[in-house]
Amino acid sequence: MTDTFPVFVTCQPGLEPFLFEELKRHHITAEAVPGGAEFEGSTETVMRACLWLGTASQVLIRLTQFRCRALGELQRKALELPWRDWLAPRVPLNFSSRSRRSRVYHTGGISERIYNAIGDSFGQAPMLAKDSDEVVARVVTRFQEDVCTISIDATSTPLHRRGYRLDGRKAPLREDIAHALVLASEWSPDTAMLDPFCGSGTIAIEAAGLALGLAPGRLRPPALQQTARFDIDAWQELGAESTPREASAPIVASDRDKGAVAATRDNAERAGVQDAVRCQQHALAAQPWLEGQDAPESGSLITNPPFGVRVSSNNNLIPLYQTLGHRLKALGPGWNTAILAHDMRLTRRTGLPLKPRFSTKHGGLAITAMGSLTADEVSRSDNNDGES
């Protein structure tokens, strides 16, 4: 059993730069690739990635990669893998298979052949997962242009499912995208933060976790617990590395909907950040800071405003975006913003100088994080205008 092995960390398209910076911050040397990052890691490194990466979707341990053009060949080569080093005999299995531009294209057949190979390796047919909530070992097989990659998922569920959001309200924002939006805003935890369209509170809760120094995966089941590589001592040591601190500036989650505010409060409590997040019920124009009442001199407005696609589809959202821009400008130069945008025409109605920070997809929609120009970008823009 080798001490290190190839690992592929996946993320939503467009979040790769943030994932790469997170890996560096946690002293994991990786190579950025489309769709994520690759590194050579140990059991401890994989656990660290699952616990601390806020923008990752999956951590896949790559068992092998080989050329393959037939299902019989797949089963024969899969049988050569050290399955007993990775799988626990009494843990149910779940299979995920995909194929693109390959002669082996039937995903059901791919999963069946991997299942057969594992059964032959253990001398008995493995158990299959029956309940979506049970802890399972997930075997992932991907074919790309006749090259097969077989991996084991380090967790049973995607990493963006943090475990605190039981009430998602309407059109909930994925936690990893919310985390990336906070990072893209360049918000500093020693300044205030406001989300005036908080919904289920995901953005504020992710920001509070960063401010308090909490691991994004702290509420999730231990990584690798469904495999033969699980090391409870290593997991507990990693958890002990977290050094929680107090928030030094207010984080406010506001929404006009009473149910959304209640959901935010409950989700924040489950996340353990209830003391750091102030929950308020206000319409945008009535939010105290945006009305000019005791607003901090500096901070970030980070939000996912209505798109008019699944929520408020029959309403005219132009006045809402105009109000948002007007009120943010009134807060003064110490404030910046990061807004998730689907319809750029609406975003331009804010009248704010914004620049794309990343683009991805959420719920089938193409979205772009638009952030305030930095001082350097404003200076360059002014110089370019002068030269023209």
Side-chain angles (χ1 to χ4, degrees), residues 252-266:
V252 173
S254 176
D255 202 287
R256 68 181 301 165
D257 182 73
K258 181 179 180 181
V261 175
T264 295
R265 187 174 289 112
D266 290 344

Side-chain angles (χ1 to χ4, degrees), residues 14-218:
L15 303 191
E16 293 93 340
F18 302 98
L19 173 63
F20 187 67
E21 287 301 316
E22 282 193 291
L23 286 163
K24 286 201 303 184
R25 192 157 56 248
H26 294 290
H27 310 292
I28 300 175
T29 302
E31 177 183 355
V33 296
E38 297 175 334
F39 62 86
E40 189 80 11
S42 63
T43 297
E44 186 271 344
T45 313
V46 167
M47 287 183 166
R48 183 181 298 277
C50 292
L51 181 63
W52 282 102
L53 297 180
T55 57
S57 299
Q58 296 172 299
V59 177
L60 300 176
I61 299 163
R62 284 180 162 165
L63 301 185
T64 188
Q65 189 173 77
F66 53 81
R67 293 195 64 80
C68 181
R69 304 177 74 179
L71 285 172
E73 179 186 7
L74 170 63
Q75 183 169 332
R76 188 170 60 254
K77 290 183 176 179
L79 182 57
E80 298 173 359
L81 295 176
W83 293 109
R84 289 176 176 270
D85 289 348
W86 288 101
L87 300 179
R90 289 180 295 278
V91 175
L93 301 182
N94 175 278
F95 293 90
S96 171
S97 300
R98 188 177 66 193
S99 179
R100 294 187 62 193
R101 297 194 293 271
S102 298
R103 292 201 177 190
V104 179
Y105 60 87
H106 192 285
T107 55
I110 293 170
S111 295
E112 181 183 6
R113 295 308 179 102
I114 300 297
Y115 174 85
N116 292 341
I118 294 172
D120 291 343
S121 179
F122 279 93
Q124 60 181 15
M127 293 187 295
L128 290 174
K130 297 179 181 179
D131 188 339
S132 60
D133 293 330
E134 66 182 325
V135 174
V136 301
R138 187 163 175 264
V139 181
V140 180
T141 306
R142 298 288 183 262
F143 272 85
Q144 179 74 30
E145 297 180 347
D146 294 331
V147 175
C148 174
T149 304
I150 301 176
S151 308
I152 290 180
D153 197 336
T155 63
S156 297
T157 57
L159 293 175
H160 73 84
R161 297 179 189 171
R162 308 278 200 247
Y164 61 73
R165 195 174 67 187
L166 301 185
D167 187 344
R169 309 306 296 168
K170 299 177 182 178
L173 180 64
R174 281 177 55 131
E175 293 90 327
D176 51 351
I177 296 177
H179 199 93
L181 183 65
V182 173
L183 295 176
S185 73
E186 299 187 353
W187 167 68
S188 173
D190 60 359
T191 62
M193 181 257 163
L194 169 65
D195 179 1
F197 304 104
C198 69
S200 57
T202 311
I203 294 173
I205 291 170
E206 291 295 311
L210 286 166
L212 299 174
L214 302 176
R218 63 192 179 278

Side-chain angles (χ1 to χ4, degrees), residues 5-16:
F5 33 82
V7 181
F8 178 43
V9 184
T10 73
C11 65
Q12 283 286 96
L15 303 191
E16 293 93 340

